[in-house]
Amino acid sequence: CVSWFDCVRFCNALSLAEGLTPVYDIGAGDEPNIRLHSTHTGYRLPTEAEWEYAAKAETDLMYAGSDHADEVAWYDENAYGSTHPVGQRQPNNLGIYDLSGNVYEGCSDEWSRLAYKQRTGEVRDPHEWIESHAPRVYRGGYWGGDVSKCRVAYRYWNVAADRKFSIGFRVMRGGRHHDVLERRDLG
């Protein structure tokens, strides 16, 4: 039950607590201006492409870790109306739990309906960062949604300031946003 702004604030707080350089400059207020420093070492939200890369785990499975949702995801037919502790379903091939279902996970990208359609065949992360209050991308599905929303390919958006019961987040450590995909695709 967090907003996208809450997610980036948490990333900075965790970075400072661990002595790392925060990735985000955050202005004041409920809907602050956010500036991204992609070379800083602190915690950040994954890009949409990084999230999908982690969820697919070098497979073509429908859900993160299986073609059978009940093995890996919490959704409307099996979650009994609430979130569940992480790790009660099987992980994907990278050992990551709960990328399908449980809660939508915030990504750093601004929402664009055409983000992937415009880049057909490209291997570069199409990260869209705009210092605005634009809607942001969320991935993974949630405990109260239809199983189709838990598919690795499913994309969702929400206003950056809205807090919803279906939203959570996952963090990763700084560095350039494109490093993970570029290294794999060029290597």
Side-chain angles (χ1 to χ4, degrees), residues 43-62:
Y43 290 93
R44 63 180 174 84
L45 297 176
T47 67
E48 182 177 10
E50 288 169 333
W51 185 95
E52 189 170 326
Y53 179 82
K56 284 184 176 180
E58 298 185 349
T59 70
D60 287 324
L61 299 170
M62 187 176 300

Side-chain angles (χ1 to χ4, degrees), residues 25-41:
D25 279 340
I26 303 172
D30 290 338
E31 296 184 36
N33 288 325
I34 308 284
R35 185 169 172 223
L36 174 75
H37 295 284
S38 62
T39 59
H40 287 191
T41 59

Side-chain angles (χ1 to χ4, degrees), residues 132-183:
S132 72
H133 302 130
R136 297 295 169 161
V137 174
Y138 291 84
R139 299 293 295 264
Y142 84 107
W143 57 266
D146 182 84
V147 69
S148 67
K149 293 177 172 75
C150 296
R151 291 178 303 111
V152 170
Y154 185 79
R155 303 174 71 232
Y156 178 70
W157 67 272
N158 194 49
V159 176
D162 283 358
R163 289 184 175 98
K164 289 191 173 182
F165 60 85
S166 58
I167 291 177
F169 62 102
R170 185 177 303 263
V171 301
M172 58 186 302
R173 280 282 303 277
R176 284 190 50 241
H177 285 4
H178 308 299
D179 282 351
V180 172
L181 291 176
E182 286 178 352
R183 255 190 252 122

Side-chain angles (χ1 to χ4, degrees), residues 6 10 40 68 90 111 115 126:
D6 294 334
F10 178 87
H40 287 191
H68 306 285
Q90 74 183 35
W111 169 258

